[in-house]
Amino acid sequence: MPEHLNLVDGRACPAAEGHTIEVVDPSDGQPFATLPRSGAADVDAAVRAARAAFDGAWGRLTATERGRVLARLSALITQQAESLAQLECRDTGKPIQQARVDIAACARYFEYYAGAADKLHGETIPYAAGSTVMALRVPFGVTGHIIPWNYPAQIFGRSVGGALAAGNACVVKPAEDACLTPLAVASLALDAGLPPGALNIVCGLGVEAGAALAAHPGLNHISFTGSAATGTAVAQAAAVNHVPVTLELGGKSPQLLFADADLDEALPVVVNAIVQNAGQTCTAGSRVLVERAIHDAVLERLAQRFAALRVGPGTRGLDCGPLINRRQLDRVTGLVDAAQADGARAVARAAVVDDAPAGGFYFAPLLLDGVAPSHPLAQREIFGPVLAAFAFDGEDEAVALANGTPYGLTAAVWTRDGSRALRLAHRLVAGQVFVNNYGAGGGIELPFGGMKHSGYGREKAFEGLRGFTTVKTVAIRHG
Ligand code: NAD
């Protein structure tokens, strides 16, 4: 089996203790490669390499030069897009067309931040007579990046692209279930001219390598993307060293459908928002809130769409691939079983193709009605292709339902009434509100992040670049 290695100080290396993790193809459940199972010593070596690069060759580059390196990396990703997409498809099980979108987005993150690198600047501040005060935007130094398995290439590009453009040196701990595209893109970064040590990748388990990175006193900032529970653990570990953290966590995002909505536009988007990546998207639209007057008609139309979806191996390019692993399959199945035992009604279900490999982690997309708003299925992130429908009467009830979970990541409003759309955009508690469209996972140029238990701090866009800097005030008394 191919043995993938860490990337530390520009060199490919196994874990210091020699342990490995099997890489499993979610489409058939079979291992096809190994990864290093790194520990604290590997993380420490990576942090030291990053510090040396920050204090050395990488730290000496101008913003324009940093941008040029990232632009070359973006071009290399684009040149290798098809092989990277095949790798992403095998590693995560996602349909190949989604993997292609993800690789294009990864290239686009580096392109965006390449252009932004030398447009970021500080301010001068009017102060006492005979003084000049500058508020400089400076990189933190060494940044840690802990990323999840659902969009490894995209989230790698989003987080590392912003951090490198701002001048930081990075240590990345990808998820144990999906490390292959981050490793491949990091290797391309060396070809693009990134100095060794500016970008290091340490693979391993969350509780081992991830915990060691979160607790490392040599970091100056941590960007964490993952579940709310792990986000708490990472923020607690970082707090010991007073290291600031950006938390990009989960969601329970609602789609609000009013009776005046253009349903021909809305319904395909509503279905895609929960089926894309088998529902394993932080911004998955896992709740559809429907104005009562159109509830039955909408459910009938959604049911037809769900019943027509086809599920199978990622390489087949169907509507939906497998879930990432057995644990995730058991989790989703358990939540759905509990909801049905408590009265939820299956309105429609997709089908897994007959010849899908028996060992794959398939869960056919499911449309549920009659879930109590307080039920765990309506409150917790499901991270599977399960859409729960709820009826509402009027804007107040719609807003109460929409805001009635611990999360606040994204929301969508579908209506032809412009005043209502604006009213709701203000009332919905979410980091992003879409009106008559929904951008699950996309939007490199749009500031992104959560409210409430969906996290804090922002990535993507220029806001993400600022998020990887701090401010140093220089006050000069010159008379
Ligand atoms: P997870 O929290 O289990 O793991 C995320 C990362 O944290 C992995 O790299 C994992 O190895 C690491 N980790 C696990 N335990 C750790 C610990 N104790 N200390 C340090 N690191 C640790 O999440 P997941 O299951 O990989 O991903 C799914 C979650 O990610 C969902 O909740 C989803 O909503 C969220 N997510 C959020 C966004 C966003 O931008 N808001 C994007 C994608 C995914």
Side-chain angles (χ1 to χ4, degrees):
M1 271 198 293
E3 186 185 355
H4 294 275
L5 299 172
N6 288 334
L7 184 75
V8 176
D9 205 12
R11 287 187 296 273
C13 51
E17 293 187 7
H19 299 312
T20 57
I21 303 170
E22 281 186 341
V23 183
V24 171
D25 181 342
S27 291
D28 61 14
Q30 295 302 311
F32 66 94
T34 65
L35 291 169
R37 180 174 160 184
S38 310
D42 304 291
V43 168
D44 189 55
V47 174
R48 284 172 195 278
R51 178 65 59 192
F54 181 74
D55 290 340
W58 178 239
R60 282 194 291 273
L61 292 191
T62 63
T64 307
E65 289 165 334
R66 290 199 302 271
R68 287 184 183 140
V69 172
L70 298 186
R72 285 196 293 273
L73 173 55
S74 175
L76 287 175
I77 296 167
T78 303
Q79 272 171 28
Q80 311 246 340
E82 187 54 28
S83 62
L84 288 167
Q86 298 287 346
L87 193 63
E88 190 80 323
C89 171
R90 184 147 201 219
D91 201 14
T92 63
K94 65 181 65 194
I96 182 65
Q97 68 276 18
Q98 179 64 45
R100 290 187 182 117
V101 168
D102 290 4
I103 299 302
C106 178
R108 172 75 185 122
Y109 276 114
F110 287 108
E111 179 186 46
Y112 179 89
Y113 285 118
D118 60 5
K119 318 297 181 287
L120 179 72
H121 48 74
E123 300 175 317
T124 58
I125 300 171
Y127 188 54
S131 302
T132 297
V133 177
M134 299 176 284
L136 305 177
R137 279 265 160 203
V138 295
F140 282 108
V142 175
T143 51
H145 304 257
I146 301 177
I147 62 177
W149 43 259
N150 55 348
Y151 291 91
Q154 280 214 44
I155 295 172
F156 177 81
R158 160 180 120 189
S159 191
V160 165
L164 288 175
N168 300 282
C170 306
V171 178
V172 181
K173 209 302 279 173
E176 46 271 46
D177 283 302
C179 290
L180 300 189
T181 53
L183 282 171
V185 173
S187 160
L188 290 178
L190 292 174
D191 300 341
L194 192 76
L199 173 57
N200 306 275
I201 314 273
V202 187
C203 303
L205 302 179
V207 288
E208 296 176 355
L213 185 59
H216 201 291
L219 296 184
N220 304 113
H221 180 273
I222 297 179
S223 160
F224 172 79
T225 306
S227 62
T230 309
T232 304
V234 167
Q236 282 174 331
V240 173
N241 300 311
H242 307 291
V243 170
V245 181
T246 295
L247 291 182
E248 296 280 4
L249 308 177
K252 194 73 194 168
S253 299
Q255 302 265 340
L256 282 66
L257 282 181
F258 284 86
D260 65 351
D262 181 340
L263 295 180
D264 293 338
E265 284 281 327
L267 297 186
V269 178
V270 168
V271 173
N272 184 58
I274 186 63
V275 172
Q276 176 181 318
N277 214 37
Q280 303 167 119
T281 304
C282 52
T283 51
S286 53
R287 297 182 296 149
V288 61
L289 316 185
V290 189
E291 194 160 20
R292 200 172 302 279
I294 57 167
H295 173 268
D296 292 353
V298 164
L299 257 63
E300 204 179 310
R301 291 178 64 177
L302 285 175
Q304 284 166 9
R305 290 184 172 274
F306 267 73
L309 295 168
R310 296 176 75 232
V311 186
T315 47
R316 296 269 296 271
L318 304 173
D319 303 299
C320 182
L323 301 183
I324 189 73
N325 57 30
R326 169 73 49 194
R327 191 164 42 91
Q328 191 64 16
L329 179 59
D330 291 345
R331 203 182 142 272
V332 174
T333 308
L335 266 171
V336 167
D337 288 351
Q340 290 187 302
D342 291 336
R345 183 174 67 89
V347 180
R349 184 126 209 206
V352 180
V353 292
D354 290 340
D355 56 350
F361 310 123
Y362 299 101
F363 187 94
L366 176 64
L367 173 62
L368 289 176
D369 194 21
V371 180
S374 59
H375 194 278
L377 191 132
Q379 290 288 317
R380 289 192 206 148
E381 186 173 46
I382 185 151
F383 239 51
V386 181
L387 179 62
F390 303 85
F392 68 81
D393 290 302
E395 286 180 24
D396 287 346
E397 193 183 2
V399 169
L401 273 172
N403 291 343
T405 78
Y407 293 104
L409 194 55
T410 47
V413 183
W414 296 88
T415 179
R416 286 191 174 95
D417 179 337
S419 300
R420 167 189 286 152
L422 281 173
R423 267 195 306 278
L424 291 188
H426 285 283
R427 293 182 71 189
L428 290 169
V429 181
Q432 288 187 332
V433 178
F434 293 91
V435 176
N436 294 332
N437 74 108
Y438 194 64
I444 282 140
E445 308 81 357
L446 313 182
F448 178 71
M451 295 183 176
K452 303 195 293 186
H453 289 240
S454 294
Y456 47 78
R458 293 291 177 267
E459 290 194 348
K460 302 191 180 185
F462 223 81
E463 199 63 31
L465 190 57
R466 281 191 206 96
F468 284 112
T469 62
T470 188
V471 173
K472 179 190 278 184
T473 305
V474 180
I476 305 162
R477 173 103 185 110
H478 40 70

